[in-house]
Amino acid sequence: MTDPILVADGIWKSFGNLAVLKGVSMSVSRGEVVALLGPSGSGKSTFLRCLDFLEQPDSGVVTLNGERVGVIETARGLYERKSHDLARQRSRLGMVFQRFNLFGHVSAIENVAMPLRLVKDLSHAEAHERAVGILGRMGLADHGHKRPSQLSGGQQQRVAIARAVALNPDAILFDEPTSALDPELVHEVLDTMSALAKDGMTMIVVTHEIGFAKQVADRVVFMDGGVILEQGTAVEVLDNPQNPRTRAFLAKVT
Ligand code: ADP
Ligand code: MG
């Protein structure tokens, strides 16, 4: 895996006096699955949000498929991308959050189909067909007509994953996708994510599910205090952590 698709170089971000990211760099190859671990408050969510410009980094560069995210570099300096251009870039990067973020007043099918019409300009019929197909692949064929409130948390999160997948993104960023679920529903979402990884989806997954990281991640990254303290294969970082803070964290979550 040598084809970098998503590259963050030296990302700094502060909120007021609070420095949250202090020079975070990460290069993700096409098809790679990165598990991002770290204690609460270490800057994981802020980092993911900087990757698709939901937060604007104070400094540092993010590129997706070789294109600067959020800004355009010209001979005369940097310009912020116009909103439609930023929307186009963001549609190349899927986001799955802890709290599903589905539209509550429409069906599962419509949750998947609506962005296909708005972002990909598909017709009603095409968007509907693709949504039904992807929900079927996620094991939700019988639930497409239901609204989010009629679905379990695990099913809702799988709809959210289907919505991200439907847009055929370059990568999907997951921010603690199972943290809001009842324990018995965690596995169905992790299974869906494992299947995506097997299909070759490029993924960054913020998670406390160490078993999932061990089985699925090509690389495990440990972050604390706004910096990456340690990274390597799952065996290196999870079975044989070198940094005392990685060890202390793993002792708490496993
Ligand atoms: P993590 O996801 O690792 O738990 P976050 O990136 O959510 O960490 O938060 C890192 C730190 O940044 C926390 O101290 C949090 O309170 C702070 N923070 C995050 N977003 C904001 C914001 N929009 N304004 C002010 N502080 C923020
Ligand atoms: Mg977070």
Side-chain angles (χ1 to χ4, degrees), residues 7-13 23-25 50 53 56-63 68-69 71 73 78:
V7 181
D9 191 17
I11 304 299
W12 287 75
K13 179 70 184 177
V24 179
S25 298
C50 282
F53 229 66
Q56 188 166 352
D58 298 330
S59 64
V61 171
V62 180
T63 58
R68 282 281 302 255
V69 175
V71 294
E73 253 175 323
L78 281 183

Side-chain angles (χ1 to χ4, degrees), residues 44-45 175-176 206:
K44 305 178 300 294
S45 295
D175 195 353
E176 300 198 33
V206 173

Side-chain angles (χ1 to χ4, degrees), residues 30-53:
R30 194 179 296 275
E32 191 178 19
V33 178
V34 176
L36 180 56
L37 312 183
S40 177
S42 56
K44 305 178 300 294
S45 295
T46 303
F47 178 63
L48 291 192
R49 292 168 61 79
C50 282
L51 292 179
D52 80 348
F53 229 66

Side-chain angles (χ1 to χ4, degrees), residues 202-245:
T202 308
M203 300 163 50
I204 301 178
V205 185
V206 173
T207 185
H208 298 298
E209 295 290 334
I210 301 301
F212 172 82
K214 263 188 190 166
Q215 280 174 13
V216 180
D218 299 300
R219 179 159 43 124
V220 176
V221 176
F222 178 73
M223 209 171 138
D224 196 7
V227 295
I228 291 176
L229 285 182
E230 183 161 4
Q231 61 181 310
T233 64
V235 170
E236 286 165 349
V237 177
L238 300 174
D239 294 344
N240 195 16
Q242 300 300 304
N243 192 297
R245 274 148 81 185

